[in-house]
Amino acid sequence: MRDARPDSSLPFMKMHGAGNDFVIIDSRGRRPVTTAALAAALGDRHRGVGFDQLAEIRDGEGADFTLDFWNSDGSRAGACGNASRCVADHVMAGLGRDSVTFTTERGTLVAVRRSDGLVSVNMGAPILDWRAVPLAREVDTLRLPVTGDPAAVGMGNPHCVFFVPDAEAVDLARDGAAMEHHPLFPEATNVEYASVTGPDRLRMRVWERGAGITLACGSGACATAVAAHRRGLTGRQVTLDLDGGTLEIDWREDGVWMTGPTAHVFDGWLSPAFLAAHA
């Protein structure tokens, strides 16, 4: 293994929240570096690093920092709850604090570290108006005119939530991929399948827009909890068991709070040759 790190190499972190994994690039104090080509190259699990989403930290404007999100196919993501929690955990540790504010396309958000070590983020109010999700035409977001009777919820990105008898039995690769580009969703959609497993508890699996099957999705967990409460299936505080771990959702008056674990896996450096090839 090479120890020398040229000045032109680019440092990054690998983190995950409940198995939802991220490359994180800290660009505070300099110009942003991520492009669609670089994100897609890094997202390749064989030729790059591999991730569900990439988060780039930028200097904050009226907040501690700003976050930009990219999917593994190189497309932009408007929100990423688990990446937000992971970055917040990293920044809080560096600042010696238990709370931070940051800006995304959703506006200014707040994250806190709880006494049990888990990190919570306020993902903002859910988007329930069809125009803002967005959908292609006026429909009831609680009952979409789609086979399977899903609900639509926006959390800074669009979500289509199906409630099924057994989420384990869903062919996620087939059904999620087919639904991602449904004509009702002009910007494509994340797709969640959830089943009620107990009082205020759901089993959820997810197909993410621009990433495919992932072990967890924070904004998807928020959207699913909101849809479940609106359907009368749960209260406003919901525990969701995902393929990669468990997330807690609390739909409060000030927004949808999501809580879960974070993990810093390793630090690395992107070589000058890799960066040059994918500029």
Side-chain angles (χ1 to χ4, degrees):
M1 184 170 64
R2 297 178 182 176
D3 291 327
R5 303 184 190 108
D7 291 340
S8 54
S9 64
L10 179 67
F12 70 93
M13 295 182 292
K14 186 70 182 287
M15 300 187 75
H16 78 84
N20 198 184
D21 69 324
F22 316 105
V23 160
I24 297 168
I25 297 174
D26 192 342
S27 291
R28 287 175 292 178
R30 66 170 182 230
R31 295 176 58 186
V33 297
T34 306
T35 62
L38 179 60
L42 275 174
D44 188 320
R45 295 188 184 275
H46 300 286
R47 299 177 178 86
V49 178
F51 57 78
D52 294 329
Q53 278 82 33
L54 182 152
E56 184 167 17
I57 312 172
R58 296 191 288 110
D59 291 318
E61 299 176 3
D64 292 308
F65 58 93
T66 298
L67 276 180
D68 295 327
F69 303 110
W70 303 77
N71 293 313
S72 57
D73 67 354
S75 62
R76 294 296 296 265
C80 186
N82 284 318
S84 296
R85 292 191 309 99
C86 285
V87 173
D89 191 31
H90 166 70
V91 174
M92 285 188 289
L95 295 175
R97 288 162 38 190
D98 289 326
S99 67
V100 287
T101 60
F102 59 98
T103 57
T104 72
E105 290 185 12
R106 288 280 276 161
T108 300
L109 305 179
V110 178
V112 299
R113 183 183 291 107
R114 296 196 322 194
S115 59
D116 60 4
L118 298 181
V119 176
S120 302
V121 61
N122 183 349
M123 293 290 290
I127 299 167
L128 304 176
D129 178 79
W130 70 273
R131 299 173 188 83
V133 170
L135 300 177
R137 65 182 189 275
E138 183 175 1
V139 295
D140 180 1
T141 57
L142 189 57
R143 300 280 183 182
L144 298 183
V146 174
T147 301
D149 189 33
V153 180
M155 289 301 309
N157 47 11
H159 294 269
C160 182
V161 183
F162 291 85
F163 292 101
V164 296
D166 182 7
E168 300 284 354
V170 173
D171 187 337
L172 195 57
R174 180 194 67 196
D175 297 344
M179 192 65 209
E180 178 184 359
H181 297 286
H182 191 282
L184 192 57
F185 291 89
E187 297 180 5
T189 184
N190 297 272
V191 189
E192 288 81 28
Y193 297 89
S195 50
V196 178
T197 57
D200 295 328
R201 195 169 195 111
L202 300 170
R203 173 71 173 100
M204 189 196 98
R205 300 174 65 210
V206 59
W207 174 278
E208 290 200 56
R209 176 183 65 167
I213 296 173
T214 60
L215 297 183
C217 175
S219 62
C222 293
T224 299
V226 167
H229 178 67
R230 294 185 73 210
R231 288 277 181 96
L233 301 174
T234 67
R236 296 174 75 97
Q237 293 181 312
V238 186
T239 300
L240 292 98
D241 297 305
L242 297 92
D243 289 342
T246 298
L247 296 173
E248 303 170 17
I249 308 299
D250 186 0
W251 184 8
R252 306 177 193 171
E253 292 301 318
D254 64 344
V256 183
W257 286 80
M258 177 186 57
T259 302
T262 63
H264 181 176
V265 184
F266 65 84
D267 296 320
W269 290 262
L270 300 176
S271 71
F274 183 89
L275 293 170
H278 302 290

